[in-house]
Amino acid sequence: MKCSLLVRRAAPLVALTVVAATIAACGGGADGSAPAGAAGGPALSPAKPVRGGTIEYGHQQEPPCISGGWVEQAYISRQVFDSLVSQVKGGKIVPWLATSWKASKDQLTWTFKLKPNVKFSDGTPLDAAAIKTNFEYWLNPKTLNSTVADYVGEYYESSAALDATTFQLKLKKPYSPLLSALSQGYFGIHSPAGLKRGVDKECVDPIGSGAFVIQKWSRGQNVTFVRNPNYNSPPANAKHQGPAYVDKLVWKFLKEPAVRYGSLTSGQSQVIYDVPSVDWDEASKKYQVLRYLTPGRPQTLSLNVTRAPFDDVKVRQALAYALDRKNAVKSAFGGAAEYNGNGSLSQSTPDYDPALADAYTYNPDKAGQLLDAAGWTKKNGDGIRTKDGKPLKALVIYGAGSIINADGATLLQTLQEQAKQVGFDLELKPLTLTQLFGGQYSTPDTYQATPGYWTSPTAGVLYIVWRQNLKDRPNYNNSAFYNNPELEKTIEAANSTLDPAEQKALYFKAQKIISDEAVAIGLYTRTSSLAIDTSKLRDVWLEDSQGEPVFSDAYLVKQ
Amino acid sequence: MSTVQPALSPGGLPGSRAVAAVAWERLRALRPGLTLAALALLFILVAAIAPSLLTSRSPTSIDLGATLQAPSAHHIFGTDQAGRDLYARVIHGTRQSLLIGLGATALSMSVAISLGFLAGLSGRFVDGAINRLLEVVFAFPVLLLALLFVTVFGASATTQIVAVGIGTAPGYARMVRGQVLAVRGSGYVEAASALGHSYPRIIRRHIFPNAMRPLVVVVTLGLGQSIVWASSLAFLGLGVAPPAPEWGALLDAGRGYVTKAWWLEVVPGLTIVAFALAVTTLGRYAQQRLEGANQR
Amino acid sequence: MTGTVDIRVSTADAVPSRASRRSVTGTARRILFRLANAVGVLWAAATVTFFIQAVLPGDRATLILNQETGRAVKRTAAEVAPINRRFGFDDSLFAQYLHYIGGLTHGDLGTSYQLKQPVTTLIADQVGPTLLLTVTALVLAWAIALVLTIATAKRGRIRSALGSGFEVVAAGLPQYWLGVILLVVFAINLGWFPVEGGTGLSGLVLPALTLAIPLAGFLGQVTRDEFEKVLDQPFITSARARGMSDLDVRTKHALRHAVLPAITLSGWALGALFSGAVVAELVFARPGLGQVLVGAASARDIPLVSGVVMLVAGVYVVANLLVDLAYGIVDPRLKDGAS
């Protein structure tokens, strides 16, 4: 409904540009995976589009570099780069830089046909050789993009430019989530001439072929983009083909929720990211609110199985039963995130198993029985269970302000209180950025549980998160340190098969193992949201690989 | 000093002016500011020592059915985003807040007294060296020093105490040194040494007590400032771990809700201001008394 | 944020130096000594920052890698090796230190680990708004403090009590809290000022007030004490006897004496305001060093943190030099003796 409405409103712009008629303009994530009713806001009244002008966008976190392997970097680098393919709702892949592609029978050789006459903003051609250079750059240990490596490193064999518009990728073993992976911002194609300037330049001022070009980055403040007048390579799911309508995009970093929302209400921004939960209801009435439930791993509490008390599956299950996660999430986030009971995959991920969402519904009695059965039968003066004189205690570490925001912290405190009711003492320890990223708290001996997420358009992310952590093949992304060869084999098989039914069955099996073993307790979906003042700005959308905001189709309006 | 200014009630009749004057004298005799400060401090001390006397509610018990409620007869300071009673949280947070303030002040005073006495009593060389050291630390942005310290060692009451304590020490150290020098140069110390008293005895009997006396006041003033300092760290996200209701942490948590639930930010802020005000008022009063005693 | 304590310190400290500033050559020698001292202070500040950060726990290469990918994992030796090589973390600590200090001597503050830009560029981009905010706040604080003192000190009990009451309350306000309240009331609710960013004059008002009000409280307290003492002096009585108006007595005679301790304090205050500016910039999402500094400190970005420390130390040193000069101009013992 909303989608067709938006398209109709965009109609006056047809005169300005060529619309790709073949592809439905609303294939993209404009409404994301939002359940009905979540994307609210006032009905759009007719308005006169204006060409040019400046979009003032209030974002939240500022990444250290514009391009790189963090989702925060993907959001912003999406404005500068184009990727080979784009993903639309439901996991379907549509053309972007690649107009078509083909996999060999053995799934080891992928051939991409590229859009001709695409140029980077520095004037150099975006051809097959450029794409080859990018793959080699990402996977070169000296310039490694470790997120790219996590996705394709184990599979990548070589790449080749067959001719200017034919790029070939060879894999060591079949990898069915390949196209989904390639649709993410991390796989945006850089100008090889730009890459030659070195990593430092590439951090600050990367050169791509996208709709916008970086003009200035004022650290701590904003990044100013200007329109790329020669843009000719939007993805097939864009709302229009051709250069952006606006002249400028100011991407502001407004970390404080009250300031960010205040910037929207006061008219200093026309659109903001991450609508504060406390303002959610008001925003839904006053503005157009887009919500995107990020696929991949949801915010999940990983339980460290190498240490007591979570080395006992009964204790892990007991904790899952003890927490009224559904109500706690609802209370802490309102509409700003959804409860996600399945600890393996977010509900918006293809091949997510919805049955596991209710695998551990709130049941404190059952939690008590499981703890009794596990030998935690006595209680000390504080009401905490004990076994052999030791209290039932677990240290929960979390990146405060980075991985877990203020609402997330409220949730953890609510869960802590609920765990106490069954005699389980969770100690919360917020970590500063330095502590979190410094690696001191990333080893099995430093915590018992930790929340974390991993945005990804594919269930293939399970391989990254649950591959075994072995001495010769370490995997510290496996934050539960749960080594299960069967689980790894199942995911590997799922990633390698091309038969959708078989793949689904294998991913389901993997999710079942993770759920039965209760090594990861699902909390909530990591959520991207935008609030847009449609009296000023229309047609901003969230793309579907991980909710990156897209401004190349947006236009300002006059009332 | 004690004459009543007639200008106070310029429009009144002479008779009413006299009445007003008497009333003013009475009020002044009560010293309302001082009384209020003493009462506030007493209340805060009770909250720190025996919080359960002032509230029967738990500061951590959660009520998801009563989140973000405005102040009312039932919850006089309202409730927070998890339905916790803010009054109970402020009361139960008092002890930790005061401990951080006291700890930081104690630490910085001990560093300051050691350095200050060493500088004030030693020869030129040591004095010069310590002075240079103090100058370097003074030139450091204290907030940055504290920030670095807390980011690396993590946020806890202990790291806050150390960060704030070290950060504020140079100020006290300079003052101690100044006091020591002043007392050392004073007549009675010269007299004592002329009488042939030993140096250690002079330090113990004369210099130490006389140099320390004004510090007593400074400690009360610094206490309020330490709490303000520590809460600044909390503002930067470096406060104590939840769910501890330490005042700075309450401020930090309330910030995100300030537009929809002002009490979460205003109440803890006013608490800190009230505490700082109370100790400052009492400290200044003590200072006046001490100075008066010195003049006599 | 600021300390009543420090006021007293600076006042006490100013006493001996005031006496030594009698002759012009004395002043020149003092400035020379100060300059040499300044270089020493800067060197020490750089050294201390370098070593504090370099020896703190946590692996710098891991930190850099994880920040680039937004992940909190342990890194393998193979992953860490190229980073160590690139930033020279493999060298001995002393060699790294020499390299750093060597760069400093020709104005090279190094390249930020995290932001990948030269520190000098980063600082040059951001220092303007911060300096503007700091200086505006200082001027504003002085204006508030002086008006308050002249208007209320020894002007009847109630007025006097109101004036000093305001000062005590203002001095006890946590800056960031005041900032948040001002922001919500005047920018978000009333809409009188921009909510974020405000680079123009209207954007400067609230952040400057956030810093100025607590500082005005301190300056006011010190000035008032002196002011009241001076008003009791015989030369004031004689000036009044000569028929000088009350306002003239206050502004021409008493004020000059009364502001001396507070001027000393200003040098220190400018340094402290820098810390405060960090907070105000964060609250109001204002351009300046604040955001960069907090980011750098929390990311343990040694070159950037050291660079900012050197800058603030430099400002502190210069401010104190200026205070010395200002003293020579205002010191009534020089002027009153001559007239």
Side-chain angles (χ1 to χ4, degrees):
Chain A
M1 272 307 250
K2 173 141 252 143
C3 206
S4 63
L5 183 71
L6 286 168
V7 171
R8 220 182 314 126
R9 293 294 160 239
L13 285 161
V14 174
L16 298 172
T17 182
V18 184
V19 169
T22 45
I23 312 290
C26 44
D31 291 316
S33 313
L44 292 183
S45 55
K48 200 167 168 287
V50 188
R51 193 154 192 184
T54 302
I55 297 177
E56 298 267 350
Y57 167 59
H59 193 74
Q60 190 206 5
Q61 291 195 53
E62 178 176 32
C65 287
I66 290 193
S67 64
W70 187 9
V71 67
E72 285 296 335
Q73 292 163 325
Y75 293 147
I76 190 163
S77 63
R78 171 68 170 75
Q79 317 308 319
V80 180
F81 296 122
D82 293 323
S83 298
L84 277 174
V85 291
S86 180
Q87 177 162 325
V88 299
K89 198 168 180 211
K92 193 173 169 277
I93 302 296
V94 299
W96 195 349
L97 285 173
T99 51
S100 65
W101 49 87
K102 216 173 73 200
S104 65
K105 254 220 166 99
D106 58 4
Q107 300 296 319
L108 294 180
T109 308
W110 287 76
T111 312
F112 296 85
K113 267 296 192 195
L114 304 181
K115 213 173 266 181
N117 302 320
V118 177
K119 285 198 160 59
F120 291 109
S121 59
D122 61 1
T124 55
L126 195 167
D127 53 14
I131 292 174
K132 174 175 151 64
T133 309
N134 271 271
F135 270 92
E136 284 163 359
Y137 179 87
W138 294 327
L139 295 169
N140 178 339
K142 276 198 189 119
T143 52
L144 186 79
N145 182 330
S146 62
T147 301
V148 167
D150 279 330
Y151 275 104
V152 300
E154 295 237 335
Y155 297 92
Y156 178 85
E157 166 82 41
S158 68
S159 50
L162 300 186
D163 61 51
T165 57
T166 314
F167 169 71
Q168 197 177 67
L169 191 64
K170 283 216 157 103
L171 301 180
K172 284 182 198 151
K173 48 188 176 180
Y175 185 49
S176 61
L178 177 70
L179 294 173
S180 277
L182 293 180
S183 71
Q184 304 173 90
Y186 319 117
F187 292 83
I189 304 299
H190 301 233
S191 155
L195 292 177
K196 277 212 186 88
R197 300 170 305 167
V199 278
D200 290 357
K201 271 271 182 223
E202 208 49 36
C203 161
V204 182
D205 179 26
I207 298 170
S209 58
F212 291 96
V213 179
I214 293 163
Q215 186 181 45
K216 186 175 166 41
W217 185 354
S218 304
R219 291 282 183 182
Q221 284 299 299
N222 55 49
V223 178
T224 307
F225 296 92
V226 290
R227 170 177 180 266
N228 173 4
N230 305 316
Y231 186 51
N232 64 353
S233 48
N237 54 329
K239 289 173 190 280
H240 86 292
Q241 296 291 312
Y245 293 131
V246 295
D247 293 332
K248 249 190 192 177
L249 164 64
V250 181
W251 185 291
K252 299 181 283 194
F253 303 108
L254 305 174
K255 214 172 154 87
E256 291 293 315
V259 169
R260 199 165 58 246
Y261 190 67
S263 172
L264 180 70
T265 55
S266 70
Q268 279 186 274
S269 300
Q270 302 113 352
V271 48
I272 60 161
Y273 180 78
D274 197 18
V275 183
S277 59
V278 66
D279 299 308
W280 186 272
D281 290 342
E282 186 191 301
S284 303
K285 288 188 197 98
K286 279 169 72 177
Y287 305 103
Q288 179 188 18
V289 173
L290 303 182
R291 190 175 74 155
Y292 174 82
L293 306 182
T294 315
R297 173 176 228 214
Q299 278 284 16
T300 299
L301 197 61
S302 295
L303 306 181
N304 179 353
V305 302
T306 65
R307 282 180 76 186
F310 294 132
D311 52 353
D312 184 342
V313 65
K314 287 201 191 77
V315 177
R316 300 198 294 266
Q317 290 169 335
L319 182 64
Y321 280 121
L323 307 178
D324 184 5
R325 292 168 286 156
K326 202 176 223 164
N327 278 318
V329 167
K330 204 168 142 204
S331 168
F333 288 91
E338 284 290 313
Y339 167 63
N340 202 99
N342 177 339
S344 321
L345 290 176
S346 148
Q347 54 198 272
S348 55
T349 322
D351 294 333
Y352 153 84
D353 183 356
L356 299 176
D358 301 318
Y360 298 94
T361 36
Y362 178 50
N363 190 342
D365 294 339
K366 195 152 182 185
Q369 290 157 15
L370 279 163
L371 288 174
D372 287 341
W376 298 91
T377 43
K378 295 202 174 69
K379 278 197 180 181
N380 69 14
D382 299 327
I384 302 302
R385 286 171 184 266
T386 58
K387 180 177 164 183
D388 308 329
K390 280 195 202 124
L392 180 56
K393 198 174 164 173
L395 177 68
V396 183
I397 58 160
Y398 63 97
S402 47
I403 306 296
I404 292 288
N405 64 6
D407 297 331
T410 302
L411 172 69
L412 290 181
Q413 290 172 52
T414 307
L415 299 181
Q416 179 186 43
E417 197 64 16
Q418 291 170 347
K420 215 192 241 157
Q421 303 303 318
V422 299
F424 206 132
D425 182 13
L426 298 182
E427 185 193 343
L428 300 182
K429 186 177 173 71
L431 299 183
T432 64
L433 213 61
T434 307
Q435 290 178 303
L436 180 73
F437 289 157
Q440 307 112 287
Y441 287 94
S442 307
T443 46
D445 52 334
T446 49
Y447 63 84
Q448 269 109 1
T450 186
Y453 62 86
W454 188 297
T455 67
S456 173
T458 156
V461 71
L462 290 173
Y463 187 70
I464 296 175
V465 179
W466 295 108
R467 182 164 65 76
Q468 296 179 79
N469 180 32
L470 303 171
K471 215 164 194 151
D472 54 330
R473 247 171 92 245
N475 176 21
Y476 290 104
N477 295 317
N478 184 342
S479 50
F481 305 106
Y482 175 63
N483 284 352
N484 181 337
E486 191 202 350
L487 176 62
E488 179 175 327
K489 260 201 342 247
T490 308
I491 303 168
E492 210 169 4
N495 282 1
S496 293
T497 175
L498 262 206
D499 173 15
E502 187 193 346
Q503 188 174 43
K504 184 175 177 174
L506 285 166
Y507 281 138
F508 270 41
K509 186 181 166 198
Q511 292 170 64
K512 185 92 171 53
I513 296 174
I514 294 164
S515 178
D516 287 349
E517 287 287 321
V519 283
I521 301 180
L523 300 177
Y524 58 97
T525 54
R526 191 182 190 282
T527 304
S528 280
S529 61
L530 292 180
I532 307 158
D533 186 344
T534 47
S535 70
K536 296 175 179 148
L537 182 74
R538 305 265 166 103
D539 275 9
V540 181
W541 52 286
L542 290 166
E543 63 81 49
D544 222 83
S545 76
Q546 44 189 355
E548 302 153 11
V550 181
F551 294 101
S552 52
D553 294 322
Y555 57 93
L556 300 171
V557 291
K558 257 191 205 139
Q559 274 105 330
Chain B
M1 281 295 259
S2 59
T3 50
V4 180
Q5 304 278 328
L8 279 180
S9 48
L13 297 163
S16 70
R17 198 184 296 170
V19 172
V22 170
W24 174 249
E25 269 306 305
R26 287 234 174 105
L27 193 66
R28 210 171 64 80
L30 277 175
R31 289 181 165 274
L34 200 64
T35 315
L36 217 60
L39 283 176
L41 209 60
L42 187 70
F43 186 80
I44 288 168
L45 283 179
V46 172
I49 296 163
S52 45
L53 285 182
L54 300 174
T55 174
S56 55
R57 284 205 173 94
S58 149
T60 52
S61 80
I62 273 165
D63 182 357
L64 296 184
T67 57
L68 297 179
Q69 292 195 345
S72 64
H74 192 53
H75 296 285
I76 58 166
F77 288 168
T79 63
D80 73 359
Q81 67 279 8
R84 294 172 292 204
D85 183 64
L86 186 58
Y87 172 72
R89 285 180 73 70
V90 169
I91 295 294
H92 280 272
T94 308
R95 184 182 301 164
Q96 197 173 22
S97 307
L98 289 200
L99 282 179
I100 289 175
L102 280 172
T105 311
L107 176 67
S108 74
M109 287 309 293
S110 28
V111 172
I113 290 172
S114 325
L115 282 180
F117 268 83
L118 199 62
L121 295 176
S122 311
R124 264 186 94 113
F125 182 74
V126 175
D127 186 26
I130 291 179
N131 254 335
R132 292 293 86 75
L133 176 76
L134 290 180
E135 191 148 1
V136 170
V137 187
F138 243 116
F140 248 90
V142 180
L143 183 79
L144 178 58
L145 201 70
L147 200 66
L148 263 181
F149 189 79
V150 178
T151 41
V152 173
F153 291 105
S156 71
T158 320
T159 44
Q160 282 201 2
I161 287 172
V162 176
V164 175
I166 301 289
T168 50
Y172 296 116
R174 277 199 171 184
M175 196 189 60
V176 174
R177 173 180 165 270
Q179 285 294 331
V180 171
L181 285 179
V183 174
R184 199 170 114 176
S186 67
Y188 54 87
V189 170
E190 276 168 28
S193 65
L195 283 173
H197 289 184
S198 73
Y199 195 50
R201 184 182 156 157
I202 292 174
I203 294 177
R204 209 173 55 240
R205 297 288 301 273
H206 298 286
I207 300 182
F208 191 78
N210 282 300
M212 288 302 285
R213 193 178 296 152
L215 289 186
V216 177
V217 175
V218 169
V219 168
T220 53
L221 298 178
L223 190 58
Q225 287 304 316
S226 292
I227 287 182
V228 170
W229 257 109
S231 61
S232 291
L233 288 177
F235 161 76
L236 295 167
L238 307 171
V240 298
E246 190 266 331
W247 294 344
L250 290 182
L251 267 191
D252 181 49
R255 204 163 74 248
Y257 301 92
V258 64
T259 48
K260 295 285 183 295
W262 53 268
W263 54 93
L264 290 180
E265 185 70 6
V266 172
V267 170
L270 287 181
T271 309
I272 293 177
V273 173
F275 175 73
L277 218 61
V279 285
T280 310
T281 308
L282 290 175
R284 283 182 77 95
Y285 173 68
Q287 185 183 356
Q288 280 164 8
R289 291 289 299 258
L290 270 171
E291 275 176 6
N294 278 349
Q295 274 160 21
R296 248 176 264 135
Chain C
M1 191 118 297
T2 41
T4 319
V5 176
D6 298 297
I7 299 170
R8 309 168 52 76
V9 175
S10 312
T11 336
D13 214 43
V15 178
S17 64
R18 210 188 296 180
S20 70
R21 220 176 287 106
R22 287 282 156 93
S23 67
V24 178
T25 50
T27 308
R29 199 179 309 144
R30 197 176 160 75
I31 289 175
L32 258 181
F33 172 75
R34 280 284 199 164
L35 277 177
N37 209 21
V39 175
V41 167
L42 289 179
W43 166 75
T47 306
V48 170
T49 325
F50 180 88
F51 281 104
I52 287 183
Q53 295 192 82
V55 300
L56 288 176
D59 179 55
R60 281 179 283 170
T62 303
L63 192 57
I64 290 172
L65 269 173
N66 277 338
Q67 263 161 3
E68 283 171 2
T69 48
R71 225 174 296 161
V73 295
K74 191 175 151 61
R75 295 289 177 168
T76 58
E79 284 179 301
V80 170
I83 302 286
N84 277 333
R85 221 169 306 128
R86 207 170 118 216
F87 291 99
F89 297 155
D90 287 340
D91 300 341
S92 73
L93 200 57
F94 191 65
Q96 292 178 46
Y97 171 70
L98 282 187
H99 180 77
Y100 179 67
I101 294 291
L104 285 189
T105 53
H106 41 274
D108 177 12
L109 292 170
T111 301
S112 157
Y113 292 163
Q114 187 207 7
L115 308 181
K116 315 281 193 288
Q117 266 174 303
V119 171
T120 40
T121 317
L122 286 166
I123 289 181
D125 281 354
Q126 305 283 345
V127 72
T130 301
L131 272 181
L132 179 68
L133 174 61
T134 318
V135 172
T136 311
L138 187 61
V139 171
L140 206 59
W142 263 113
I144 298 173
L146 287 185
V147 167
L148 216 59
T149 308
I150 293 170
T152 65
K154 288 226 160 188
R155 278 270 169 91
R157 229 159 251 296
I158 287 191
R159 254 216 227 183
S160 201
L162 278 179
S164 63
F166 171 82
E167 284 161 7
V168 175
V169 173
L173 287 174
Q175 280 164 337
Y176 63 92
W177 184 71
L178 177 63
V180 170
I181 301 293
L182 288 178
L183 174 79
V184 170
V185 174
F186 294 103
I188 295 182
N189 287 344
L190 293 175
W192 294 354
F193 300 99
V195 175
E196 40 99 358
T199 39
L201 195 65
S202 66
L204 188 61
V205 176
L206 293 181
L209 278 176
T210 301
L211 298 184
I213 291 175
L215 184 60
F218 286 113
L219 294 177
Q221 283 175 339
V222 181
T223 312
R224 175 182 304 270
D225 283 353
E226 288 293 313
F227 200 79
E228 289 181 346
K229 271 181 211 152
V230 172
L231 281 182
D232 286 338
Q233 299 280 320
F235 75 90
I236 297 287
T237 320
S238 70
R240 286 194 202 277
R242 271 184 270 132
M244 208 175 200
S245 79
D246 182 53
L247 193 66
D248 276 359
V249 167
R250 282 169 181 265
T251 52
K252 290 193 178 148
H253 279 288
L255 198 60
R256 181 184 286 170
H257 288 77
V259 297
L260 279 173
I263 284 185
T264 317
L265 183 60
S266 292
W268 159 83
L270 204 61
L273 274 175
F274 237 86
S275 292
V278 169
V279 170
E281 284 167 5
L282 286 174
V283 171
F284 293 94
R286 222 187 108 73
L289 284 172
Q291 311 256 5
V292 170
L293 177 62
V294 172
S298 60
R300 242 176 100 196
D301 192 336
I302 298 179
L304 189 48
V305 172
S306 306
V308 176
V309 167
M310 304 263 300
L311 175 79
V312 181
V315 169
Y316 172 82
V317 165
V318 170
N320 280 303
L321 270 176
L322 290 178
V323 164
D324 265 17
L325 291 175
Y327 234 103
I329 297 165
V330 187
D331 195 329
R333 253 164 285 200
L334 293 172
K335 287 289 163 75
D336 284 2
S339 62

